[in-house]
Amino acid sequence: MDYSLTGFNEDVFIISLTEIYGDPINFEFKISEFDKDISFDLFADFVGERIDSNYNYSEDYFDNGYIGDLIKCLYNYYFCHNEVSFKTGESLTVYSNVKYYNCTPYDFQLNFMLEKYPSIWNKLYSSTTSNTDYQLFISEISKTNNQLWKLELIMTKKSSDRYSLGGRFKFFVKPGDVINLKYYEHPLYNVKAEIVSIDYNSITFNFSGYHKPSMLHDIE
């Protein structure tokens, strides 16, 4: 069975399931159907019951990855927020706990990239423990006037003992502003980083949810 995510935006998503040689079955979910403070278990049950009412899926297939991974990504995208602080010199990197089947959970490193800037992603099924070898480092935070701060980011990739400069980006920001980031090309893996607070050597973001996907290439 294949699945894909279609009609995806801030208000609705559609999960499409297709058996071999069969026609796809589409399940539409409107975000207005859910309470904004819904727990993951209730969200997963709601989606699972909607699918089960029209399609006899395998519970093991759902729980041990595949569609279950997609539902975790969707829940984090719509309902989770994570507040993280960074200091000058640190990269915009977070960690997502990953578990495959009965394996021991491990931390997967997510290096955020700017939403509209190209990047090369690591292969999902290789032994790498990060989504990309590029990283956005905070090179400067300085005050410009009573309201705005200058935030400078540089993108680098380390090769042996050398660092290659992939880009330098400057923003003039204040608390409440949002920087759009991503950690794979599909819009499901875009992240809004709202600035909670900013000082001379630190900045705190409130990220919309993130999750390491395992079946990215099956999502259209």
Side-chain angles (χ1 to χ4, degrees), residues 54-103:
N54 295 278
Y55 188 97
N56 187 24
Y57 70 89
S58 165
E59 188 169 333
D60 182 66
Y61 183 94
F62 183 85
D63 291 338
N64 290 332
Y66 304 100
I67 298 175
D69 283 336
L70 174 60
I71 290 176
K72 289 178 184 177
C73 295
L74 289 166
Y75 179 78
N76 283 330
Y77 180 88
Y78 286 111
F79 303 107
C80 284
H81 293 276
N82 305 274
E83 193 169 295
V84 186
S85 296
F86 302 91
K87 294 182 179 179
T88 304
E90 293 182 338
S91 66
L92 296 185
T93 296
V94 297
Y95 294 87
S96 178
N97 187 261
V98 176
K99 181 179 181 181
Y100 289 122
Y101 303 102
N102 296 321
C103 298

Side-chain angles (χ1 to χ4, degrees), residues 54-209:
N54 295 278
Y55 188 97
N56 187 24
Y57 70 89
S58 165
E59 188 169 333
D60 182 66
Y61 183 94
F62 183 85
D63 291 338
N64 290 332
Y66 304 100
I67 298 175
D69 283 336
L70 174 60
I71 290 176
K72 289 178 184 177
C73 295
L74 289 166
Y75 179 78
N76 283 330
Y77 180 88
Y78 286 111
F79 303 107
C80 284
H81 293 276
N82 305 274
E83 193 169 295
V84 186
S85 296
F86 302 91
K87 294 182 179 179
T88 304
E90 293 182 338
S91 66
L92 296 185
T93 296
V94 297
Y95 294 87
S96 178
N97 187 261
V98 176
K99 181 179 181 181
Y100 289 122
Y101 303 102
N102 296 321
C103 298
T104 302
Y106 68 95
D107 284 337
F108 185 85
Q109 179 174 306
L110 293 170
N111 298 319
F112 290 126
M113 294 289 112
L114 293 172
E115 182 183 26
K116 298 186 181 299
Y117 198 85
S119 184
I120 300 174
W121 309 112
N122 292 331
K123 293 181 180 179
L124 288 171
Y125 300 107
S126 68
S127 59
T128 182
T129 56
S130 66
N131 60 327
T132 176
D133 296 328
Y134 290 92
Q135 289 178 281
L136 280 175
F137 284 87
I138 301 173
S139 56
E140 181 184 350
I141 301 175
S142 59
K143 194 74 175 286
T144 61
N145 57 40
N146 291 332
Q147 289 187 325
L148 296 178
W149 294 76
K150 182 172 77 170
L151 172 65
E152 182 181 85
L153 305 174
I154 59 172
M155 186 173 74
T156 66
K157 178 183 179 181
K158 185 178 180 181
S159 177
S160 298
D161 294 327
R162 299 184 61 185
Y163 288 86
S164 300
L165 183 62
R168 186 184 299 272
F169 312 94
K170 297 180 181 180
F171 303 87
F172 294 94
V173 297
K174 63 184 183 299
D177 287 349
V178 173
I179 298 176
N180 293 316
L181 304 172
K182 64 180 179 181
Y183 55 101
Y184 281 113
E185 288 294 352
H186 191 278
L188 178 61
Y189 309 112
N190 291 350
V191 172
K192 294 180 179 179
E194 181 181 355
I195 298 173
V196 177
S197 62
I198 187 168
D199 207 337
Y200 282 100
N201 66 343
S202 68
I203 186 169
T204 299
F205 291 106
N206 186 16
F207 292 107
S208 58

Side-chain angles (χ1 to χ4, degrees), residues 17-48:
L17 302 181
T18 307
E19 288 280 10
I20 299 175
Y21 307 121
D23 295 325
I25 302 176
N26 296 322
F27 303 91
E28 180 178 293
F29 300 87
K30 296 179 180 179
I31 301 307
S32 59
E33 296 178 275
F34 303 99
D35 188 285
K36 65 179 181 179
D37 296 322
I38 190 171
S39 68
F40 170 73
D41 288 340
L42 289 176
F43 177 77
D45 287 345
F46 186 97
V47 175

